[in-house]
Amino acid sequence: MASPRRPFFSRSSYAETLRVGEILRRETTGGMLLIAAAVIALIWANSPAAGSYFGLRDLTVGPEALHLNLSLGAWAADGLLAVFFFLVGLELKNELVAGDLRDPSKAMVPVVAAAAGVAVPALLFTLVNLGSPEGLQGWAIPAATDIAFAVAVLAIIGTHLPSALRLFLLTLAVVDDLIAILIIAVFYSGDIDFLALALFVVPAAVYAFCVQRFPAFFERHAWAAWVFLLPLGLAAWGLLHASGIHATIAGVVLGLVVPARVARGATRGLTTVFEHRYRPLSTGIAVPVFAFFSAGVAVGGWDGLVSAATSPVALGIIVGLVLGKPLGIVSATWALTRFTRATLDDAVRWIDLIGVGLLAGIGFTVSLLVGELSFGLGSPLNDAAKVGVLLASLLAALAASAVLIPRNRRYAAIARADAVDADADGIPDVYEDND
């Protein structure tokens, strides 16, 4: 007898839903700070005092003997973003241990959808830039979804959307970030210094031993991570930077080795503690500072903005993020429901999934980072890439809002009707349906 079709947007455990809700609430503030930092950078970079902005961004600090005499913009991209990727590593670990990624049957859909949501935008960017060999270097720019920005928008416009959609977006964004991390490590690393790479393993292994062997100690004493783990993390970061691999990968590695355990269907332990402690550092400082130094681009008035926005690089990014992301995500999900046992949950409609696909087209933090890695900080092509990322993210947010706000109103009306019915007879509808 054939196995029943499995709804991949089915209701998750209550504890898992609470965990995702908490993440969404935290990311709302971070997304607002990110937007504010980007707006300030854009205004400053196009003001009469633009020279001071670019002078600050390009100011070089750090020990030259250790090859760490970097500009403030590079420190933000290579250093501060390691904190952001450390949180990504923690979230990925939580998803692998207690989230949808722990179940292959549930993980298949967001993993395949995320992969298609990376491949289709990259393909569309490549098609638009076929006549520009230099522009083709930015093929991965529209591949990434900005999790902070996307969930911030969803938290504002999707207060009554099914929790399954929120879970799907979060899982999709985490897998998307993982793919982007692999792309950065493989395609955007320089000549590899294998000695430095081998030495990187030493502090990383000691770090892993400490968190695995003494998790309760680090849970009880917040100061212990700063005294014992931070020096190990800095050493690992510095050695990976010296190896030629982008240093933010160190944050992911260190986040993944932190232990997590399952209790009542949700993660507990050191990953949860570290995420609670260091999320404000990422959302309140690391990501906004990076956005401040990366989003500033002098467009040269309206004519300059039009010229930059219509360049092949910017057009490729806009087409990739605004059209390619939802096309890849929705088409991959449709194919899985058509040719496998997966099926949509009864509470979710395809129009909801299209809205989430559009929302995934917000590619801010990682897209700006890949743009800098592709073309170099301050280059004309990188400036065009910044314009493309900013415009695409804005268009994706507006398009997603146009789809999801009416859907949110519909779900809110259903919730109110259910509440009225429950008040009328004192029996919630969920129990009536089981009679």
Side-chain angles (χ1 to χ4, degrees):
M1 184 172 63
S3 301
R5 290 165 66 85
R6 178 189 295 271
F8 60 81
F9 279 126
S10 59
R11 181 178 299 174
S12 298
S13 67
Y14 180 65
E16 175 73 359
T17 301
L18 288 179
R19 184 180 71 82
V20 174
E22 180 64 22
I23 291 173
L24 289 172
R25 285 190 291 273
R26 288 197 299 265
E27 291 291 0
T28 304
T29 302
M32 296 305 167
L33 291 175
L34 186 153
I35 295 171
V39 170
I40 292 172
L42 284 169
I43 294 174
W44 192 353
N46 291 277
S47 72
S52 60
Y53 170 80
F54 294 108
L56 179 65
R57 186 196 68 184
D58 298 333
L59 178 65
T60 301
V61 296
E64 186 172 357
L66 298 177
H67 304 288
L68 292 176
N69 53 327
L70 308 175
S71 68
L72 291 180
W75 273 112
D78 291 4
L80 283 179
L81 270 196
V83 180
F84 167 78
F85 280 108
F86 175 71
L87 270 295
V88 170
L90 291 177
E91 187 56 42
L92 180 60
K93 183 64 172 284
N94 285 336
E95 288 295 323
L96 289 170
V97 172
D100 285 346
L101 293 182
R102 78 187 187 279
D103 184 349
S105 62
K106 289 185 177 180
M108 177 181 65
V109 175
V111 168
V112 173
V118 168
V120 174
L123 176 61
L124 292 178
F125 180 93
T126 300
L127 292 175
V128 173
N129 285 270
L130 280 177
S132 174
E134 291 185 352
L136 284 174
Q137 298 176 18
W139 62 271
I141 296 174
T145 294
D146 188 294
I147 185 171
F149 205 156
V151 298
V153 174
L154 183 63
I156 294 171
I157 67 174
T159 53
H160 290 83
L161 292 175
S163 61
L165 283 177
R166 301 174 183 228
L167 289 166
F168 179 70
L169 176 63
L170 177 62
T171 307
L172 179 78
V174 169
V175 176
D176 187 285
D177 280 344
L178 176 60
I179 297 174
I181 290 162
L182 294 175
I183 290 174
I184 291 172
V186 174
F187 296 100
Y188 292 97
S189 297
D191 295 332
I192 304 299
D193 184 333
F194 289 99
L195 176 59
L197 183 59
L199 291 174
F200 157 77
V201 176
V202 177
V206 175
Y207 179 99
F209 172 79
C210 291
V211 294
Q212 293 284 342
R213 181 65 179 83
F214 309 105
F217 174 73
F218 291 107
E219 286 183 31
R220 289 195 303 267
H221 306 290
W223 58 266
W226 298 97
V227 173
F228 298 108
L229 299 182
L230 180 60
L232 292 169
L234 291 175
W237 177 89
L239 288 168
L240 199 63
H241 182 275
S243 75
I245 296 177
H246 200 265
T248 53
I249 305 300
V252 182
V253 173
L254 298 181
L256 283 172
V257 300
V258 176
R261 56 186 174 83
V262 181
R264 296 180 181 177
T267 49
R268 296 289 187 270
L270 203 52
T271 52
T272 306
V273 172
F274 278 3
E275 186 179 352
H276 178 74
R277 286 178 186 168
Y278 305 126
R279 176 75 64 177
L281 182 61
S282 173
T283 59
I285 298 176
V287 174
V289 170
F290 168 76
F292 172 77
F293 283 117
S294 294
V297 54
V299 296
W302 177 254
D303 291 339
L305 177 61
V306 172
S307 177
T310 54
S311 68
V313 168
L315 286 176
I317 294 170
I318 293 171
V319 171
L321 285 173
V322 179
L323 298 180
K325 274 289 183 181
L327 178 61
I329 291 169
V330 176
S331 61
T333 306
W334 177 86
L336 287 172
T337 62
R338 178 68 176 81
F339 300 108
T340 72
R341 293 189 177 92
T343 183
L344 284 176
D345 185 81
D346 291 339
V348 177
R349 300 292 180 265
W350 282 104
I351 187 64
D352 302 329
L353 187 60
I354 292 173
V356 170
L358 289 166
L359 200 59
I362 300 176
F364 197 88
T365 306
V366 180
S367 292
L368 290 174
L369 173 62
V370 174
E372 292 184 6
L373 296 176
S374 301
F375 305 123
L377 189 64
S379 72
L381 286 178
N382 187 40
D383 289 344
K386 289 181 181 181
V387 171
V389 170
L390 295 172
L391 287 177
S393 298
L394 176 61
L395 290 173
L398 292 175
S401 299
V403 172
L404 293 178
I405 287 177
R407 298 297 298 168
N408 188 65
R409 290 173 181 162
R410 180 178 183 279
Y411 285 115
I414 293 174
R416 287 194 297 270
D418 288 345
V420 171
D421 291 342
D423 289 341
D425 56 19
I427 303 175
D429 286 348
V430 65
Y431 296 111
E432 290 181 346
D433 292 341
N434 292 332
D435 288 341

